[in-house]
Amino acid sequence: IIKADYSMIKNHIIYNDYSDWTYDVAKAEGAYIWTKDGKKLIDFTSGWNVTNLGWNNPEIAEAIVAQVNKNTYAPMWTADPIQNDFANLLTDSLPKELDAVARATGGTEANEEAMKTARAFTGRKKILGFKNTYHGQSFGTMAIGYLPEYVETISPLVGEFIQMDFPKTFGSNESDAKLLTDFEKQLDELLSGEDVAAIVTEVGIITGWGSTYIAPKGFLTIVRKLTKKYGTLLILDEVGTGFSRCGKLFGMELEGVTPDIATFAKGLSNGAAAIGAMVTTSNIAEKSFKNSHLTSTFGWTPLACAAALKALQIHIRDKIWEKAEKDGEYLLNSLQKEFKGNSKVADVRGIGMEIGLTFGQPNLMEKAVDVARDKGLHLTRCGDN
């Protein structure tokens, strides 16, 4: 093992500091992971919102095997029947306005496609995002939410990006109404120049950065109202909030908001294959595709589409979001009750089965995660969250 300040190299693989290598996975099934030394863990991470239907779902595996015997690749100027089937089901599951799909290999690429589309369609350059959010690991997507001090050594990133504070409820002494009023005023000022191509956001909860910070209900409604007012596109990153995670099939259903562009990955194929999607309107797609350069060599391989099609069919057939809503409410209430009055826990919050907490003492989270794993519970962390 060679360990540096911000990485670990194990068996020639570089790991990030927030997910340092802790064990090799021997096997995984349903809600369980077994380590190489035989320890069985109850998994509460879903691979960070990936295996929403359980690890190695057998129905998805069968769908991939069946596709292997048909075809495994389709170049960009063609379409495999399984791609068409998945595109139809995905768009049928979304608001009717979202009827055009761009193929991608994951969330980073899908968000890059979304921002390129927004600039090509609007003719504007500026992109607005929120501080301390994660939308990918490219120069463009990192510019959305990474603070300058985090990326100083690899800067400059892409220009014309604006960052604003996320109106989180945790740590605020203001009422939800005041938070929303202040946020609306700030956003109105930023968009009033009518020079912002798009705002990139999740549905009111931060999943990618790991903080699970939540905005007051009504956040997304305000964003949608002001983006329409000033001709700014709303890009909704559903990579972490989609596929039943937040108690709805897609997070946009929480406030009944239809974005101009939505992006998907992670739970899209339940972790069985690399795949992402950018979905927008036919009007936006037709007016931007010549200049947005939506090319992806491995976007939507037939194997990935077979996995994604089956995964979405299962979500719809079994109404997985209903279980996520019910179980999430139980878990959130139980944790809040358990930790009430505990000085070591500053906050417990969540939406559906996207739940997190903040410890009130520094460096305690890492120890808690390690102790939990020793006791057979697999959790993940980001700083003190």
Side-chain angles (χ1 to χ4, degrees):
I1 298 174
I2 302 172
K3 189 171 179 66
D5 289 340
Y6 294 104
S7 71
M8 176 191 285
I9 300 174
K10 175 71 174 179
N11 296 326
H12 309 287
I13 298 174
I14 302 171
Y15 292 85
N16 292 314
D17 65 322
Y18 63 80
S19 58
D20 280 346
W21 177 91
T22 50
Y23 59 85
D24 287 340
V25 177
K27 67 174 182 176
E29 180 181 351
Y32 301 99
I33 297 175
W34 286 262
T35 68
K36 193 175 181 180
D37 60 5
K39 188 174 183 62
K40 182 180 180 180
L41 303 174
I42 303 173
D43 179 47
F44 265 70
T45 73
S46 302
W48 210 302
N49 298 347
V50 174
T51 59
N52 291 353
L53 298 175
W55 291 83
N56 297 311
N57 184 284
E59 289 187 76
I60 296 174
E62 290 173 5
I64 293 175
V65 170
Q67 185 61 42
V68 165
N69 295 318
K70 297 177 182 178
N71 180 36
T72 60
Y73 183 68
M76 289 178 285
W77 58 91
T78 70
D80 186 280
I82 198 74
Q83 293 179 328
N84 294 331
D85 291 344
F86 177 57
N88 287 332
L89 184 60
L90 179 59
T91 53
D92 286 347
S93 305
L94 292 165
K96 65 180 185 303
E97 295 90 343
L98 299 174
D99 60 355
V101 185
R103 298 169 288 186
T105 56
T108 293
E109 188 177 7
N111 282 325
E112 285 282 349
E113 290 179 340
M115 293 187 292
K116 290 190 296 182
T117 295
R119 282 181 168 178
F121 178 75
T122 65
R124 304 173 182 179
K125 301 301 181 185
K126 293 181 180 179
I127 304 290
L128 176 63
F130 293 94
K131 298 175 184 177
N132 292 323
T133 56
Y134 180 85
H135 299 279
Q137 51 88 37
S138 64
F139 281 107
T141 52
M142 291 179 74
I144 300 171
Y146 274 71
L147 297 179
E149 55 265 33
Y150 295 160
V151 291
E152 182 178 358
T153 56
I154 62 171
S155 292
L157 303 182
V158 179
E160 301 290 346
F161 278 73
I162 306 168
Q163 295 180 352
M164 66 182 301
D165 291 324
F166 183 74
K168 59 185 177 72
T169 56
F170 172 65
S172 173
N173 295 322
E174 304 288 354
S175 66
D176 286 2
K178 183 67 164 53
L179 280 173
L180 289 178
T181 298
D182 291 345
F183 168 68
E184 183 171 3
K185 181 180 179 181
Q186 293 168 9
L187 183 60
D188 191 283
E189 291 176 355
L190 288 169
L191 298 183
S192 62
E194 299 188 2
D195 57 354
V196 177
I199 180 171
V200 183
T201 183
E202 293 185 282
V203 299
I205 181 172
I206 296 177
T207 72
W209 195 264
S211 65
T212 325
Y213 289 145
I214 295 175
K217 188 173 182 180
F219 160 82
L220 198 58
T221 301
I222 290 173
V223 173
R224 177 71 288 189
K225 180 182 71 174
L226 292 180
T227 50
K228 283 187 175 181
K229 178 181 178 181
Y230 293 115
T232 298
L233 298 190
L234 170 55
I235 299 173
L236 203 56
D237 184 337
E238 288 262 19
V239 171
T241 57
F243 300 96
S244 303
R245 174 58 55 181
C246 291
K248 301 290 184 182
L249 179 56
F250 301 116
M252 66 182 77
E253 299 172 32
L254 291 168
E255 292 191 28
V257 167
T258 300
D260 301 291
I261 303 173
T263 57
F264 304 96
K266 287 189 178 287
L268 196 63
S269 68
N270 205 59
I275 186 172
M278 181 205 75
V279 190
T280 187
T281 69
S282 290
N283 178 54
I284 292 174
E286 289 171 354
K287 293 180 179 179
S288 63
F289 80 95
K290 289 184 179 180
N291 299 309
S292 53
H293 307 288
L294 306 178
T295 58
S296 181
T297 299
F298 292 107
W300 283 39
T301 65
L303 296 182
C305 286
L309 176 62
K310 179 55 67 175
L312 184 50
Q313 288 172 339
I314 295 171
H315 278 279
I316 294 171
R317 181 194 69 197
D318 297 344
K319 297 182 178 179
I320 300 297
W321 59 88
E322 293 183 353
K323 177 174 173 57
E325 181 180 31
K326 178 182 177 182
D327 290 357
E329 182 180 5
Y330 168 79
L331 181 57
L332 183 62
N333 290 338
S334 297
L335 288 170
Q336 289 174 338
K337 181 179 179 181
E338 179 72 21
F339 291 123
K340 185 176 181 179
N342 190 322
S343 62
K344 295 180 180 179
V345 179
D347 190 44
V348 181
R349 56 192 172 269
I351 300 175
M353 284 294 285
E354 184 71 7
I355 297 173
L357 58 84
T358 296
F359 275 18
Q361 298 180 7
N363 305 317
L364 187 57
M365 182 61 69
E366 183 175 3
K367 180 179 179 181
V369 169
D370 289 343
V371 170
R373 187 171 59 251
D374 289 342
K375 293 179 177 293
L377 176 63
H378 184 217
L379 306 172
T380 192
R381 63 179 176 85
C382 184
D384 290 322
N385 299 301

